[in-house]
């Protein structure tokens, strides 16, 4: 599994640092410093706009990427299952998009 995140965002960086302590077997890739062939089909804005997870041959973006990543972490697995429930999943998507837009605009000058 590979997690692509914006390391130039202080909030994103702090959160990923927390996950690194929990699940070090995951490859965490700071897109502000490097690019990987699995995400080259995405534009620069698409890369920086959301978090992405490459897992088992599929690329997941945004709220889905968190569900996939958390499902691989013992302490976060239950949250992943709860947020995957039909109506809750839609609410989770909406919350993620609002936060992601805010963080993207806040860190846009660093891109």
């Amino acid at each position: 599994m590979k997690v692509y995140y914006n390391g130039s965002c202080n909030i994103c960086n702090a959160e990923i640092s927390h996950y690194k302590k929990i699940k070090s077997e995951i490859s965490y890739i700071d897109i502000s410093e490097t690019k990987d062939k699995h995400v080259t089909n995405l534009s620069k804005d698409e890369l920086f706009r959301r978090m992405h997870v490459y897992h088992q041959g599929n690329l997941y973006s945004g709220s889905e990427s968190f569900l996939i990543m958390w499902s691989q972490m013992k302490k976060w697995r239950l949250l992943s299952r709860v947020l995957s429930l039909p109506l809750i999943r839609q609410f989770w998507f909406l919350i993620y998009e609002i936060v992601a837009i805010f963080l993207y605009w806040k860190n846009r000058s660093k891109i």
Side-chain angles (χ1 to χ4, degrees):
M1 175 183 295
K2 294 182 180 182
V3 174
Y4 299 90
Y5 70 100
N6 180 2
S8 66
C9 166
N10 293 336
I11 293 170
C12 306
N13 204 24
E15 185 167 7
I16 293 299
S17 292
H18 172 73
Y19 298 138
K20 285 178 180 178
K21 293 174 189 171
I22 296 171
K23 190 80 169 176
S24 61
E25 301 86 24
I26 294 174
S27 178
Y28 300 92
I29 301 161
D30 179 354
I31 60 170
S32 68
E33 293 182 357
T34 186
K35 292 204 167 53
D36 186 278
K37 64 182 180 179
H38 292 296
V39 291
T40 54
N41 62 331
L42 299 174
S43 72
K44 185 177 179 180
D45 280 341
E46 288 173 316
L47 276 173
F48 281 89
R49 170 71 177 74
R50 292 176 181 87
M51 187 177 86
H52 306 278
V53 168
Y54 187 78
H55 182 60
Q56 295 181 343
N58 295 305
L59 184 64
Y60 301 90
S61 297
S63 59
E64 290 296 313
S65 65
F66 274 95
L67 296 179
I68 297 299
M69 181 178 67
W70 289 339
S71 71
Q72 304 300 307
M73 299 177 178
K74 188 176 180 180
K75 292 182 179 182
W76 292 85
R77 197 167 291 137
L78 179 59
L79 179 62
S80 176
R81 289 182 185 151
V82 170
L83 291 177
S84 293
L85 296 172
L87 292 176
I88 297 172
R89 185 181 220 132
Q90 293 169 331
F91 183 68
W92 165 235
F93 172 82
L94 182 63
I95 295 297
Y96 176 88
E97 289 300 315
I98 291 168
V99 171
I101 288 170
F102 169 75
L103 291 175
Y104 175 76
W105 283 97
K106 179 180 178 281
N107 294 293
R108 206 170 67 154
S109 64
K110 298 176 185 177
I111 298 172

